[in-house]
Amino acid sequence: MAARDELLVPPGGPARRGRPRGSTRERILDVALELFTEQGYEQTSLREIAERLGVTKAAIYFHFERKEDMLLELHMRLHALGHEAIDELDGLDDDQQRADAWPRVLDHFVDQVIRNRELFLFHVRNHRALDVLADNEAHQAENEDIQQRISRLLTSEEIPLAQRVRMAASIGALTGVVAAGGAFSGVPPDELAELVRGAVRDLVVPRPLGR
Amino acid sequence: MAARDELLVPPGGPARRGRPRGSTRERILDVALELFTEQGYEQTSLREIAERLGVTKAAIYFHFERKEDMLLELHMRLHALGHEAIDELDGLDDDQQRADAWPRVLDHFVDQVIRNRELFLFHVRNHRALDVLADNEAHQAENEDIQQRISRLLTSEEIPLAQRVRMAASIGALTGVVAAGGAFSGVPPDELAELVRGAVRDLVVPRPLGR
DNA sequence: GTCTATATAGGGATAGAC
DNA sequence: GTCTATCCCTATATAGAC
């Protein structure tokens, strides 16, 4: 749990506790996050990362054995964001209950996502690239992520189709706002989160009275 | 207009009018669409496409001068899908009017997208890759696409933030359903489109009476 | 911790035979 | 229209000097 929270410190953020662990390593990850998000993992070469930092490729290999390991570390930070949602869903008995709890879970999830826009966007744009981590131990352990649970819910036959469609739509709506990137980058996270919560609620909670 | 419609014939579909123009070329595009969607444009090699067709890379170069040209041709087919929406938006005077027409435009757009799921998904997953077409003549001519218009609307200061957020969310919602891929692939297009229309309408049309 | 140099693999693209 | 063979470039990754 403590370890989980530690993953959430903002990349390159202010409070660097304990040993001043290699600022270079952090700087590499910062640049990697930025470029992976912008261009995609596979389109980003080590040379590119190294150049932007003013070092050589070989220098990077001192900090990360493989290119994959950067992807892995960034992905781990993201996992932490979904844990509350997972815990909440796991506490329920069947898929219909999980579907009905969706508005509540989503409410909280929206906050997490909006507040970690860049990390989330990195994930959205690279989730296919994560396949390369398939046979990585550390990843296997931490895996079983939200994405998978959600897919399972979306295909569950216990839930009416209309409800499943709206669940998929609500995730998409959230993603859409984050992916609109530039458009809302000036809006304070709390304000944006509130607007998005209102929107997805209308999407996912049936209208009370006749149209 | 006629040419535009012709682009919409289903890839590898039944009615092949005029000269039986090279079935090989069509088969290449079919495979390309599938692999580009699945793995991404840049992650798909010509060797891979060729292998699946049982030919060699060089054979592909007979039909397409450059790899880009496959991307271009698929992209062109997609452009056609957005034209009604563009025409409808272009008929209006200012951004606020366009924003208010959004529900109507979206209604129609949902149909187009759902009925051409694979092509749309191809686009969503590869729109960054389209940058390589930046200096292509044929593309320039046809360009000025919906994506751009939408971005412009989303950043327009004439439209209240809350409304813009909901517009972004509605696009995302549609994308989310399509991207959920497997989950709804069994559902007939018309039924799915109707469900999605209902959902995005709740998102984008303000609730009539007090909560 | 960072460098230069190199090994190895795979990509897109072209030439020329059939 | 499709093949074989090849060119050139860039990618990840490693070895070994400083």
Side-chain angles (χ1 to χ4, degrees):
Chain A
M1 287 287 177
R4 185 181 292 167
D5 286 348
E6 201 164 31
L7 289 172
L8 275 174
V9 297
R16 189 156 288 125
R17 322 169 232 180
R19 65 240 137 100
R21 47 191 234 292
S23 77
T24 302
R25 191 187 158 91
E26 288 301 313
R27 282 170 59 230
I28 292 174
L29 280 176
D30 287 353
V31 173
L33 175 60
E34 196 181 325
L35 292 180
F36 290 172
T37 305
E38 204 173 286
Q39 317 176 326
Y41 170 73
E42 327 242 15
Q43 278 63 54
T44 303
S45 68
L46 294 178
R47 184 186 52 70
E48 218 169 345
I49 297 175
E51 237 163 43
R52 187 174 292 209
L53 285 166
V55 298
T56 63
K57 281 193 294 176
I60 293 184
Y61 274 99
F62 175 82
H63 296 280
F64 297 92
E65 270 192 31
R66 287 170 297 270
K67 187 189 177 188
E68 288 178 27
D69 293 346
M70 291 185 242
L71 188 65
L72 177 62
E73 186 144 337
L74 291 172
H75 186 201
M76 294 295 231
R77 296 183 179 189
L78 191 91
H79 265 292
L81 298 184
H83 266 288
E84 290 87 350
I86 287 191
D87 292 346
E88 194 150 359
L89 290 175
D90 277 349
L92 300 169
D93 289 339
D94 59 39
D95 285 345
Q96 182 57 57
Q97 283 187 34
R98 280 185 263 275
D100 291 338
W102 190 247
R104 207 173 65 235
V105 173
L106 196 56
D107 236 43
H108 187 223
F109 192 53
V110 167
D111 268 339
Q112 292 277 14
V113 169
I114 297 285
R115 272 207 261 281
N116 295 275
R117 280 184 256 194
E118 190 172 10
L119 198 53
F120 186 72
L121 196 53
F122 150 77
H123 184 241
V124 168
R125 296 205 177 144
N126 287 288
H127 66 112
R128 292 213 98 80
L130 295 175
D131 294 351
V132 303
L133 301 179
D135 52 354
N136 183 305
E137 290 183 23
H139 177 253
Q140 293 289 13
E142 190 71 21
N143 213 355
E144 191 56 12
D145 64 359
I146 350 142
Q147 197 106 347
Q148 292 180 12
R149 315 254 177 157
I150 292 175
S151 310
R152 220 175 297 139
L153 276 184
L154 293 183
T155 52
S156 171
E157 305 217 335
E158 297 177 36
I159 308 170
L161 178 62
Q163 198 172 2
R164 284 186 284 137
V165 167
R166 280 170 182 253
M167 285 167 63
S170 65
I171 301 270
L174 174 55
T175 307
V177 172
V178 172
F184 307 122
S185 59
V187 183
D190 287 342
E191 185 182 348
L192 188 56
E194 182 56 34
L195 288 171
V196 174
R197 267 197 305 270
V200 294
R201 217 177 280 135
D202 282 354
L203 188 54
V204 98
V205 178
R207 298 206 176 201
L209 284 169
R211 135 144 241 96
Chain B
M1 285 288 177
R4 184 181 294 167
D5 286 351
E6 201 165 32
L7 289 171
L8 275 177
V9 297
R16 189 159 286 126
R17 323 168 234 181
R19 66 237 137 104
R21 50 191 232 291
S23 78
T24 302
R25 191 186 157 91
E26 288 301 314
R27 283 170 59 230
I28 292 175
L29 280 177
D30 287 353
V31 172
L33 175 60
E34 195 181 324
L35 292 180
F36 291 172
T37 304
E38 204 174 286
Q39 316 176 326
Y41 170 72
E42 328 240 14
Q43 277 63 56
T44 302
S45 69
L46 295 177
R47 186 187 50 72
E48 218 171 344
I49 297 175
E51 236 164 44
R52 188 174 292 208
L53 285 166
V55 298
T56 64
K57 279 196 294 177
I60 294 184
Y61 273 99
F62 175 82
H63 298 279
F64 297 92
E65 270 192 30
R66 288 170 297 272
K67 187 190 177 188
E68 286 179 28
D69 293 345
M70 294 187 240
L71 188 65
L72 176 62
E73 186 143 338
L74 291 172
H75 183 71
M76 294 294 232
R77 295 184 179 188
L78 191 91
H79 266 292
L81 298 185
H83 265 288
E84 289 88 350
I86 288 191
D87 292 346
E88 194 150 358
L89 290 175
D90 276 350
L92 300 169
D93 289 339
D94 59 40
D95 286 343
Q96 181 58 59
Q97 282 186 34
R98 280 184 263 274
D100 292 337
W102 190 247
R104 206 174 66 237
V105 173
L106 196 57
D107 236 43
H108 187 225
F109 192 54
V110 166
D111 268 339
Q112 292 277 15
V113 169
I114 298 285
R115 272 207 259 281
N116 296 273
R117 278 184 257 195
E118 190 171 11
L119 198 54
F120 185 72
L121 196 53
F122 151 77
H123 183 242
V124 169
R125 296 208 176 143
N126 287 287
H127 66 111
R128 292 213 99 79
L130 295 175
D131 294 350
V132 305
L133 301 178
D135 53 354
N136 183 305
E137 289 184 23
H139 177 252
Q140 293 288 14
E142 189 72 22
N143 214 355
E144 190 57 12
D145 63 359
I146 349 141
Q147 197 107 345
Q148 290 178 14
R149 317 254 177 157
I150 291 175
S151 311
R152 220 176 297 140
L153 277 184
L154 292 183
T155 53
S156 171
E157 305 216 337
E158 297 177 36
I159 308 170
L161 178 62
Q163 199 172 2
R164 286 186 282 138
V165 167
R166 279 169 183 256
M167 286 167 63
S170 66
I171 301 271
L174 174 55
T175 306
V177 173
V178 172
F184 308 121
S185 60
V187 183
D190 286 343
E191 185 182 348
L192 187 57
E194 182 55 35
L195 289 172
V196 173
R197 267 198 305 272
V200 295
R201 217 177 280 134
D202 283 353
L203 187 54
V204 99
V205 178
R207 299 203 175 202
L209 284 169
R211 183 183 181 68

